[in-house]
């Protein structure tokens, strides 16, 4: 028992020593807010500082810091390979980065306006906790390639998340399609009854469209998966950083080689990213537009569960599909973000321009729009059902005209045009829905997809 008690005491002491070994934030540290580019004692005008920082510090604190920490770890490894750090110093710095990330996650660290961005906070914290080692970390890199790298990592991560949510929506639509493979539905052209179809065929059209969106997203993610870290401010460095090492560590497929092109690709890559998300939203808004129209009393060929409708503060009978209207509206919002980025990069000279800072907000908003819209669309489509009784009531008999023409052409050998001209009165023909659909033979039609 004495041995066991002694052992427990030793373990407790070791644990306390481990905690005490961790650097802590002191009042002296809190008030050390010098910018990493400061070279003299001059201070930046408060209005200029506030305007140039904008909301960058908020975005960095909430979203981008973890990507900059990841990139910093990769850069430190490359510096260690180059002899800037010893293996022991490399291990210390990586341990400190993990502590910084933990403190950030629990809300101890913040990015103030005076910090400008997360790059400043990370370098300052490393310097506080490791002394001269932290001052070496910025060797052979610029805040420009830091920002480029963390933004690119964010976009790649975002697209992976989009792909996962698209796959979830595709899976859900596949189940709906199989359940309603023979459920009657109305096909519209010019918003007029055109030909009979099935709800399964209708749903399947969106499933296939989302599969194309998924493929396009994967292509864009592959396109932007190029490592810009180590390009500096656009003109390289006389320290030979192993960019292949950092690319592999960060999960990039390749290296963006020309250091100036790294800077000139700002806006170009973000534009492709937002455009891929706009393609997803184009599909979702088409679905949402149909849902809004088809659930109206005048159409009523779709029914929405009460759990996805809202009400009116004045009209007690109202059931509003706000979710569909907002999905539809958010397509316009993401097109606006695409236009923002396209307009912003127009006319800028080669190299870094501070204008690029404004793009960060656009890509974050685009990310939020798509991810919430995909989530809402999944719930909406699972809670919307075809109103079969109403569908069969409102189908006009002449909706079968094209099918009747094709059947008569096959049976009589007459030309399509001759039969077409004389088919307006189809009262003598048997127009059974199931029979008509089963005779659609062309690949991709309701009877064969």
């Amino acid at each position: 028992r004495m041995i066991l008690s002694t052992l427990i005491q030793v373990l407790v002491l070791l644990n306390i020593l481990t905690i005490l070994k961790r650097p802590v934030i002191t009042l002296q540290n809190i008030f050390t807010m010098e910018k990493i580019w400061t070279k003299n004692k001059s201070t930046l005008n408060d209005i200029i500082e506030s305007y140039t920082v904008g909301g960058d510090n908020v975005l960095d604190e909430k979203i981008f810091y973890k990507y900059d920490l990841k990139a910093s770890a990769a850069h430190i490894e490359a510096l260690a390979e180059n002899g800037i750090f010893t293996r022991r110093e490399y291990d210390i710095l990586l341990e400190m980065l993990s502590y910084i990330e933990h403190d950030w996650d629990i809300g101890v660290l913040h990015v103030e306006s005076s910090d400008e961005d997360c790059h400043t906070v990370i370098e300052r914290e490393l310097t506080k906790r490791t002394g001269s080692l932290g001052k070496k970390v910025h060797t052979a890199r610029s805040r420009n390639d830091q920002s480029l790298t963390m933004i690119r990592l964010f976009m790649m991560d975002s697209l992976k998340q989009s792909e996962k949510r698209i796959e979830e929506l595709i899976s859900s639509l596949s189940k709906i399609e199989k359940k309603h493979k023979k459920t009657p539905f109305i096909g519209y052209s010019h918003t007029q009854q055109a030909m009979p179809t099935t709800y399964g065929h209708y749903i399947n059209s969106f499933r296939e469209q989302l599969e194309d969106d998924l493929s396009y997203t994967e292509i864009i993610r592959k396109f932007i998966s190029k490592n810009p870290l180590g390009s500096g401010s656009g003109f390289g460095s006389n320290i030979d950083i192993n960019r292949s090492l950092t690319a592999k560590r960060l999960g990039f497929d390749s290296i963006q080689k020309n250091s100036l092109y790294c800077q000139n690709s700002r806006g170009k890559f973000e534009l492709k990213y937002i455009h891929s998300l706009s393609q997803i939203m184009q599909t979702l808004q088409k679905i949402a537009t149909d849902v809004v129209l088809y659930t109206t009393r005048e159409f009523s060929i779709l029914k929405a569960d009460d759990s996805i409708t809202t009400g009116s503060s004045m009209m007690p009978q109202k059931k509003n599909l706000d979710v569909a209207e907002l999905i539809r509206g958010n397509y316009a919002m993401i097109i606006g973000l695409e236009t923002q980025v396209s307009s912003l990069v127009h006319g800028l000279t080669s190299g870094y321009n501070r204008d690029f800072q404004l793009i960060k907000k656009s890509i974050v908003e685009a990310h939020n729009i798509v991810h919430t819209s995909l989530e809402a669309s999944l719930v909406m489509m699972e809670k919307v059902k075809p109103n079969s009784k109403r569908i069969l009531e409102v189908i006009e008999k002449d909706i079968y005209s094209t099918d009747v023409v094709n059947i008569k052409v096959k049976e009589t050998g007459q030309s399509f045009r001759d039969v077409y001209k004389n088919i307006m009165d189809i009262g003598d023909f048997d127009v059974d829905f199931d029979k008509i659909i089963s005779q659609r033979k062309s690949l991709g039609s309701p009877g064969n997809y």
Side-chain angles (χ1 to χ4, degrees):
R1 287 181 180 178
M2 289 179 64
I3 294 172
L4 180 60
S5 176
T6 302
L7 181 60
I8 291 172
Q9 290 177 30
V10 169
L11 290 173
V12 170
L13 180 61
L14 287 172
N15 189 47
I16 292 171
L17 289 172
T18 300
I19 294 171
L20 290 175
K21 187 177 72 172
R22 285 189 55 183
V24 296
I25 298 175
T26 65
L27 287 175
Q28 181 183 0
N29 289 338
I30 290 174
F31 290 108
T32 304
M33 294 292 187
E34 188 176 83
K35 294 173 174 57
I36 58 177
W37 49 262
T38 300
K39 296 178 288 295
N40 52 49
K41 297 300 181 181
S42 64
T43 57
L44 188 63
N45 180 281
D46 289 344
I47 293 175
I48 300 301
E49 179 179 78
S50 177
Y51 187 76
T52 54
V53 172
D56 227 32
N57 61 313
V58 177
L59 291 174
D60 280 14
E61 180 177 321
K62 293 183 178 298
I63 297 168
F64 289 105
Y65 75 91
K66 62 181 178 180
Y67 299 105
D68 197 38
L69 284 166
K70 186 177 180 181
S72 292
H75 184 68
I76 290 169
E77 184 174 355
L79 290 176
E81 184 189 71
N82 206 270
I84 305 297
F85 297 119
T86 66
R87 186 68 196 183
R88 172 60 181 155
E89 290 171 335
Y90 164 74
D91 290 339
I92 291 171
L93 286 167
L94 250 61
E95 184 180 23
M96 290 306 114
L97 283 176
S98 68
Y99 288 151
I100 290 169
E101 183 171 18
H102 173 266
D103 290 345
W104 212 310
D105 289 341
I106 64 173
V108 173
L109 294 177
H110 303 282
V111 185
E112 306 295 342
S113 291
S114 54
D115 295 320
E116 296 185 295
D117 50 44
C118 62
H119 316 310
T120 300
V121 176
I122 292 170
E123 182 174 331
R124 188 181 68 230
E125 289 301 314
L126 280 174
T127 302
K128 287 179 187 176
R129 302 174 193 223
T130 67
S132 60
L133 292 183
K135 295 180 180 181
K136 290 183 177 182
V137 169
H138 204 61
T139 304
R141 76 173 179 182
S142 164
R143 285 197 300 172
N144 293 334
D145 65 333
Q146 278 185 267
S147 182
L148 255 174
T149 304
M150 73 178 189
I151 289 171
R152 203 157 291 179
L153 289 172
F154 166 80
M155 291 191 296
M156 290 165 58
D157 192 20
S158 169
L159 290 175
K160 285 181 181 178
Q161 293 177 44
S162 294
E163 289 160 19
K164 182 180 179 182
R165 291 198 172 184
I166 293 171
E167 288 169 350
E168 291 172 351
L169 183 53
I170 287 172
S171 176
S172 178
L173 293 181
S174 294
K175 292 175 184 177
I176 296 171
E177 176 266 318
K178 289 176 182 177
K179 182 178 179 180
H180 294 285
K181 198 160 189 172
K182 295 185 178 181
T183 301
F185 204 62
I186 303 171
Y188 288 90
S189 176
H190 300 271
T191 326
Q192 304 293 327
Q193 289 190 21
M195 293 179 68
T197 186
T198 66
Y199 190 63
H201 179 256
Y202 169 77
I203 290 295
N204 186 263
S205 71
F206 294 118
R207 180 196 59 77
E208 190 170 327
Q209 190 170 340
L210 284 165
E211 287 176 348
D212 280 347
D213 294 335
L214 179 61
S215 297
Y216 187 65
T217 302
E218 291 169 347
I219 290 169
I220 297 303
R221 179 165 54 84
K222 177 78 173 177
F223 177 87
I224 67 176
S225 184
K226 298 180 177 70
N227 180 27
L229 188 60
S231 60
S233 59
F235 307 101
S237 169
N238 56 6
I239 297 175
D240 187 16
I241 292 293
N242 187 343
R243 299 184 66 200
S244 295
L245 183 153
T246 56
K248 182 177 180 181
R249 174 159 185 150
L250 294 172
F252 288 109
D253 291 334
S254 60
I255 300 169
Q256 194 172 17
K257 293 181 181 178
N258 187 286
S259 55
L260 181 56
Y261 173 49
C262 290
Q263 293 301 324
N264 288 346
S265 67
R266 298 186 79 139
K268 188 178 186 70
F269 279 38
E270 289 87 343
L271 192 57
K272 291 183 181 296
Y273 162 78
I274 296 178
H275 183 67
S276 69
L277 299 185
S278 76
Q279 295 304 294
I280 300 168
M281 286 305 302
Q282 197 277 337
T283 301
L284 299 185
Q285 71 84 25
K286 177 71 73 175
I287 298 172
T289 300
D290 282 356
V291 169
V292 170
L293 181 64
Y294 294 166
T295 54
T296 61
R297 288 189 179 184
E298 290 74 13
F299 275 75
S300 199
I301 60 175
L302 290 180
K303 294 185 295 185
D305 189 86
D306 288 350
S307 64
I308 62 169
T309 64
T310 62
S312 166
S313 62
M314 181 178 180
M315 297 166 283
Q317 86 284 3
K318 289 295 294 299
K319 291 184 179 180
N320 303 323
L321 265 164
D322 291 356
V323 59
E325 293 173 321
L326 289 172
I327 292 169
R328 181 179 62 188
N330 268 318
Y331 174 58
M333 300 305 292
I334 207 164
I335 291 298
L337 295 171
E338 194 172 354
T339 303
Q340 278 184 10
V341 175
S342 180
S343 301
L344 186 143
V345 299
H346 172 71
L348 296 182
T349 56
S350 291
Y352 177 76
N353 295 275
R354 189 64 181 262
D355 313 51
F356 293 136
Q357 173 184 314
L358 303 174
I359 296 176
K360 288 167 72 174
K361 182 179 179 182
S362 299
I363 64 173
V364 170
E365 287 183 2
H367 165 86
N368 291 337
I369 285 172
V370 169
H371 284 253
T372 54
S373 296
L374 280 166
E375 187 176 38
S377 295
L378 176 62
V379 174
M380 180 180 73
M381 292 311 292
E382 289 179 345
K383 298 296 183 180
V384 169
K385 312 292 182 187
N387 186 354
S388 298
K389 181 180 178 182
R390 173 66 175 171
I391 290 167
L392 293 174
E393 286 175 354
V394 299
I395 285 180
E396 299 290 342
K397 199 172 185 182
D398 61 6
I399 200 174
Y400 298 98
S401 297
T402 303
D403 291 288
V404 172
V405 168
N406 288 328
I407 292 169
K408 193 169 181 65
V409 166
K410 288 173 65 178
E411 291 176 348
T412 66
Q414 297 179 65
S415 70
F416 174 85
R417 190 56 61 206
D418 286 340
V419 179
Y420 171 91
K421 290 180 178 179
N422 296 292
I423 201 63
M424 294 314 295
D425 181 11
I426 62 170
D428 295 334
F429 292 93
D430 179 19
V431 285
D432 178 73
F433 177 88
D434 292 331
K435 183 178 179 182
I436 288 291
I437 294 298
S438 67
Q439 292 185 37
R440 301 264 183 89
K441 301 299 182 183
S442 62
L443 181 63
S445 60
N448 183 24
Y449 66 90

